[in-house]
Amino acid sequence: MDGFTKAVAGLTDFIWGVPLMVLLIGGGLFLTARLGFFQFRYFPHIVKQTFGKIFSKSEGDGTLTPFQATTSALASTMGAANIVGVPVAIALGGPGAIFWMWLVALIGMGTKYSEVVLGIHYREKNKEGEYVGGPMYYIKKGLGWKKVATFVAFALMIEIVASTMVQSNSIATSMSGSFGLPPVATGICVALLVILITYGGIKTIGKVTEKLIPFMVVIYLLAALTVLVYNFKELPQAFMMIFEYAFRPMSAAGGFAGAGVAAAIRWGLARGLYSNEAGMGTAPIAHSAAMNNHPAKQGFWGVFEVIVDTLVVCTITAMVILTSGVWQTTSPDEASNMVTQAFIPVFGSSIAGTIVSATLFLFVITTVVVIIFYGEKQAEFLFGTGFSKVMRFVYIAAILVGAIGGLQFIWQFLDLLLAAVVIPNVIAVLFLSGKVKEITKDYFTNLYPVEKKKAAKGGNRHVRTTESDGNAGAD
């Protein structure tokens, strides 16, 4: 068994090393170039269409508002990766890793946008009258690769069993360490909450995430910004280190073991790729349920995700770590505790631990709820809506088993199964990039001028009827 485990670990490390980095970054660069670097050229417009319309009335067909769909997708990306993953990247890659994290986020915007556009374009209604979509649908309908679509759906459905167990175990461990709560009790609490939320389907999930995700982000950012104000004199030095050590090695200092440029690039790129999930095929599953009158407009919300997740939350976490100096006094093995250590001088040990643990708990709850929804949609695609309900109970069982640390041999397949989803998904998106370009051109030719006039007039009512005439390429 040890030999088998090492073989799986070795294969996983190889695939998630250079091969997937080349595919994800190269794919992102190709899509960015083919779409005319739209995320830079039209950045102010994208901001107006997302941040500026969070509370606006939705237009077009769909099950969720664009913001609900986006917070649902964000729920699966935001969590331990933002609070724990960033310190690990700094511990192993140095401050320069943050520069490369920013770079891959800017490139990943093109990939995430393309996935969401294809998800909306190729979506369909299920027997319950809800809009469903995702990589399995655009691979099947856009390329005619039925066997590949089936493989992707099956791999993701199984991967979510392992992912749910790992998420449940992480929160059970955290709650046990912080509050002395038995893991089985945490597992039961998480399972009951997930049952209550998922029972109402995507509409209930959307309503929960649109309230909980902003609340969690605001609470965490307020705490983090308080620490930054406390350490404001160190901010210029922190930014200088990010840019300086992105291109030259940094020597060891205190608990920091030192890092070369290659390590900065490796860990920065890995953190950027993992944090926003661009290319992983999960986001379009949630976005496909959104009400919108054009795929490109929902695609902008995919860009919004990358901004919030990586460029805002991950960056604030990095600044907290760098300005507080904990990265120089904490060994890489203890990197997961760096945020708590950075909070202690400002809030005290008890409050700092409570803030981080409570935030992680809420992040994990929303993550588990949304990935279970993703798993159900894979089961529905493969075997119908009835079987998707069966898989819901399988995932609930995985929460309980994971909380107590059972069946850990399954966990080792998590990254391998995820790679089995990412590779065909990115290849499919690249093959369908012509369709994405066509839809994007349609938007900027027909709807973009209308949106500019609307912004100039400062009103909504006059243009709404005009917008509905430009619904080219939505379905």
Side-chain angles (χ1 to χ4, degrees):
M1 182 62 75
D2 287 342
F4 177 73
T5 302
K6 288 180 180 179
V8 171
L11 179 60
T12 302
D13 289 343
F14 169 74
I15 293 173
W16 278 99
V18 174
L20 263 176
M21 284 192 180
V22 169
L23 179 64
L24 288 165
I25 296 169
L29 284 170
F30 173 82
L31 291 166
T32 295
R34 186 155 197 192
L35 296 173
F37 300 91
F38 79 99
Q39 67 263 52
F40 308 113
R41 292 170 58 204
Y42 298 105
F43 186 77
H45 179 70
I46 292 171
V47 170
K48 288 177 183 176
Q49 291 295 311
T50 52
F51 288 93
K53 291 198 173 183
I54 288 175
F55 303 108
S56 297
K57 186 177 179 181
S58 305
E59 302 166 355
D61 297 327
T63 309
L64 302 178
T65 67
F67 184 61
Q68 286 175 337
T70 303
T71 54
S72 297
L74 269 173
S76 73
T77 62
M78 296 188 67
N82 303 82
I83 299 175
V84 177
V86 173
V88 171
I90 293 173
L92 298 173
I98 304 305
F99 173 85
W100 298 104
M101 180 188 77
W102 289 339
L103 184 65
V104 79
L106 295 172
I107 295 169
M109 289 177 181
T111 307
K112 181 67 76 79
Y113 168 84
S114 299
E115 290 179 292
V116 175
V117 165
L118 293 171
I120 289 282
H121 183 74
Y122 290 106
R123 68 181 179 176
E124 58 187 49
K125 271 189 177 182
N126 64 12
K127 292 180 179 179
E128 297 175 350
E130 295 178 341
Y131 278 94
V132 292
M136 57 285 194
Y137 287 94
Y138 56 71
I139 290 173
K140 178 183 176 182
K141 296 170 70 175
L143 296 170
W145 298 352
K146 295 181 180 180
K147 291 183 179 179
V148 176
T150 300
F151 172 77
V152 167
F154 184 78
L156 185 55
M157 182 180 73
I158 301 302
E159 187 273 342
I160 287 170
V161 174
S163 185
T164 301
M165 293 172 70
V166 171
Q167 292 284 346
S168 176
N169 184 260
S170 70
I171 191 59
T173 303
S174 174
M175 297 303 284
S176 176
S178 299
F179 306 107
L181 197 65
V184 67
T186 301
I188 292 171
C189 290
V190 173
L192 289 174
L193 284 170
V194 170
I195 289 170
L196 288 172
I197 298 170
T198 56
Y199 180 77
I202 186 60
K203 290 182 179 180
T204 303
I205 293 171
K207 288 177 182 177
V208 170
T209 57
E210 77 168 336
K211 294 177 177 64
L212 205 51
I213 290 294
F215 172 76
M216 292 187 301
V217 170
V218 168
I219 293 297
Y220 175 70
L221 290 185
L222 283 175
L225 289 171
T226 302
V227 175
L228 291 183
V229 170
Y230 183 80
N231 298 316
F232 77 97
K233 291 182 180 179
E234 304 298 327
L235 277 170
Q237 176 70 13
F239 278 105
M240 187 194 76
M241 288 191 298
I242 288 172
F243 288 99
E244 180 180 356
Y245 294 112
F247 302 99
R248 76 180 186 88
M250 187 175 191
S251 57
F256 178 64
V261 175
I265 295 173
R266 185 251 184 273
W267 288 103
L269 296 182
R271 179 49 37 219
L273 293 171
Y274 270 112
S275 70
N276 58 61
E277 294 190 1
M280 295 191 181
T282 49
I285 301 171
H287 283 279
S288 295
M291 301 174 193
N292 228 318
N293 65 352
H294 200 285
K297 291 179 75 174
Q298 193 61 34
F300 296 153
W301 286 96
V303 176
F304 171 94
E305 274 184 58
V306 179
I307 295 171
V308 172
D309 182 90
T310 307
L311 299 184
V312 175
V313 179
C314 285
T315 298
I316 293 294
T317 299
M319 290 297 109
V320 166
I321 299 304
L322 293 175
T323 59
S324 65
V326 293
W327 64 284
Q328 292 180 308
T329 58
T330 307
S331 69
D333 292 339
E334 299 293 324
S336 61
N337 295 319
M338 281 190 190
V339 172
T340 303
Q341 294 300 316
F343 279 14
I344 286 175
V346 180
F347 300 106
S349 179
S350 178
I351 294 176
T354 300
I355 291 172
V356 174
S357 295
T359 304
L360 278 172
F361 178 79
L362 292 174
F363 274 140
V364 169
I365 289 292
T366 54
T367 297
V368 170
V369 165
V370 171
I371 63 173
I372 286 177
F373 167 75
Y374 290 163
E376 287 183 33
K377 293 299 108 177
Q378 309 315 302
E380 178 182 317
F381 176 83
L382 292 168
F383 307 111
T385 53
F387 189 76
S388 69
K389 304 297 186 293
V390 174
M391 283 305 299
R392 180 183 300 174
F393 287 102
V394 172
Y395 296 135
I396 297 299
I399 293 174
L400 298 170
V401 174
I404 60 174
L407 299 178
Q408 290 194 20
F409 72 91
I410 295 176
W411 302 5
Q412 64 194 322
F413 295 103
L414 194 155
D415 286 343
L416 199 59
L417 285 166
L418 189 57
V421 176
V422 173
I423 293 170
N425 175 62
V426 174
I427 292 171
V429 172
L430 293 175
F431 271 92
L432 289 167
S433 60
K435 175 59 70 175
V436 179
K437 182 178 180 180
E438 176 190 321
I439 293 170
T440 305
K441 182 179 179 181
D442 175 75
Y443 174 82
F444 284 109
T445 301
N446 297 320
L447 285 187
Y448 178 59
V450 175
E451 295 290 348
K452 287 186 71 176
K453 287 181 181 178
K454 181 191 294 186
K457 291 180 180 181
N460 293 330
R461 292 187 179 180
H462 174 70
V463 197
R464 271 185 186 154
T465 54
T466 311
E467 273 195 332
S468 62
D469 296 333
N471 190 13
D475 282 303

